[in-house]
Amino acid sequence: MRPVDALIDHLKSEVARGKTHVLLDEEAREGLRELFIKSREAAKSSTATSKLSKQAPTAAASPAMLRLKTTATNTATSMPENMPLLKVHGETREESLESLRQQAENWAPVKALGSLRSTMVFGSGSPHARLMLVGEAPGHEEERRREPFVGPAGRKLDDILKAMDLSRQDVYISNILKFRPLAPRQTINNRTPTPEEIASCLPFVLKEIEIVKPDCIIALGVTAAVGLLKLQSSVESMREQWHSLDGIPTRVTYHPSYLLQSEANNDIKRKLWEDMLAVMDKLGLPISDKQRGFFLTK
Ligand code: URA
């Protein structure tokens, strides 16, 4: 298979998983430029035209993010039948989470896959939080500091929490995956996890929910939503409604990293904020006129 076909297959599978964007670091962009140049040269010599070469970014205009055609489908994750059982020890929530964290460090199903990196990043925040937020997987910065959401997307999440009059200490923050998906020649770029990778880590986030017993959960982005709720859909069609995760009201919203992308306009920010207002309402948190008015047209 030519590298360009592998890339097309990969992008198709991302679209099928509900992804609308892929982030590319400088190294990945350089790889795409090389592919583009090679396929242009091949096209010149054979007069054949390559579908991707027409769309591939040039050195002069290479977007840091490729926009993919959106479909409202995704691959729901089911737990393999031979998944080992987690044993939770401890009297307190703190102790139970610690026993879970220790098991995550050497979790055999993850090791058996061999497609995830070795640094484990566990959930953080208050074990007594009423609100739990679940993202996709740790990235470069999270791996370095062994804490979820501490990179650029994490700073966006901090801003969102601050606008809700909350801090990281008030909530519990976790990820569907406890390990960063491995990618060839990886630098700071991230890869979307496969359904098998999600399934290998899913018992941990479900146990975290069982231990923390939040009153409300926010699934940040399509991977968290699909992993937790077993739906096959896009964020757009899962948001604006309450889902139930073992009886816990769960809201789906955009991943904070989406707000960092240049194409995320005020409309997306307003929609995310509407989701947060619904969560605040559900938790009975006070909502000021100023908070209600964010993003209202003046
Ligand atoms: N994105 C996530 O989904 N989780 C993190 O911890 C960081 C970035």
Side-chain angles (χ1 to χ4, degrees):
M1 185 190 262
R2 294 175 307 157
V4 71
D5 294 324
L7 175 64
I8 290 169
D9 280 356
H10 172 69
L11 293 178
K12 278 184 181 160
S13 75
E14 293 290 82
V15 169
R17 291 171 53 71
K19 281 269 164 169
T20 55
H21 297 77
V22 285
L23 284 170
L24 304 173
D25 69 359
E26 190 45 48
E27 195 180 355
R29 275 184 275 167
E30 194 47 51
L32 269 184
R33 276 179 211 127
E34 273 171 32
L35 261 183
F36 174 61
I37 290 162
K38 275 192 197 138
S39 61
R40 193 174 51 183
E41 281 163 2
K44 263 189 210 153
S45 59
S46 67
T47 66
T49 50
S50 150
K51 222 175 164 191
L52 184 76
S53 65
K54 281 189 207 154
Q55 295 163 352
T58 63
S62 60
M65 173 185 58
L66 292 183
R67 193 177 168 82
L68 307 176
K69 199 163 158 261
T70 316
T71 60
T73 57
N74 216 308
T75 317
T77 314
S78 55
M79 198 90 79
E81 279 173 13
N82 56 354
M83 181 66 75
L85 282 180
L86 287 169
K87 297 181 195 74
V88 177
H89 306 288
E91 301 285 305
T92 64
R93 294 185 191 190
E94 287 78 358
E95 288 167 357
S96 301
L97 287 171
E98 176 54 25
S99 91
L100 207 55
R101 194 190 63 74
Q102 283 173 17
Q103 289 168 81
E105 289 285 4
N106 294 301
W107 187 234
V110 163
K111 301 251 182 279
L113 279 179
S115 60
L116 295 170
R117 289 165 62 102
S118 56
T119 306
M120 198 278 294
V121 180
F122 202 68
S124 75
S126 167
H128 302 272
R130 296 184 59 212
L131 175 60
M132 179 160 168
L133 299 104
V134 181
E136 181 173 303
H140 170 76
E141 196 58 24
E142 286 76 22
E143 223 182 16
R144 203 176 64 79
R145 291 172 50 189
R146 297 200 70 164
E147 197 181 338
F149 281 101
V150 289
R155 287 192 280 283
K156 206 25 106 184
L157 185 58
D158 288 344
D159 292 345
I160 295 166
L161 290 173
K162 189 162 173 223
M164 296 168 82
D165 266 334
L166 295 172
S167 73
R168 295 174 76 93
Q169 290 71 41
D170 298 319
V171 299
Y172 188 86
I173 303 177
S174 193
N175 278 313
I176 285 274
L177 264 88
K178 304 296 178 228
F179 300 83
R180 188 174 168 213
L182 187 64
R185 299 165 70 212
Q186 191 163 28
T187 49
I188 57 165
N189 52 320
N190 294 317
R191 167 173 72 72
T192 304
T194 64
E196 293 74 27
E197 289 166 346
I198 295 171
S200 72
C201 285
L202 203 56
F204 288 98
V205 73
L206 296 180
K207 269 284 183 246
E208 284 176 292
I209 292 170
E210 211 178 295
I211 294 168
V212 175
K213 298 183 185 58
D215 293 333
C216 191
I217 296 170
I218 301 176
L220 298 165
V222 72
T223 303
V226 170
L228 291 177
L229 300 169
K230 309 278 177 291
L231 295 174
Q232 299 207 347
S233 202
S234 62
V235 169
E236 283 85 351
S237 51
M238 287 185 277
R239 56 177 293 279
E240 277 193 295
Q241 57 193 294
W242 285 106
H243 302 270
S244 170
L245 181 52
D246 291 333
I248 303 173
T250 302
R251 202 82 179 178
V252 175
T253 195
Y254 299 100
H255 193 285
S257 64
Y258 191 40
L259 299 191
L260 295 171
Q261 297 170 1
S262 53
E263 288 180 25
N265 50 29
N266 252 4
D267 190 43
I268 298 293
K269 291 180 189 160
R270 181 182 51 76
K271 285 177 176 171
L272 186 142
W273 183 242
E274 280 167 5
D275 296 333
M276 296 305 110
L277 286 178
V279 168
M280 290 170 77
D281 224 18
K282 181 64 93 184
L283 291 171
L285 297 175
I287 304 179
S288 68
D289 289 345
K290 189 176 163 205
Q291 283 169 318
R292 280 212 191 276
F294 284 161
F295 298 106
L296 281 187
T297 40
K298 303 245 159 57

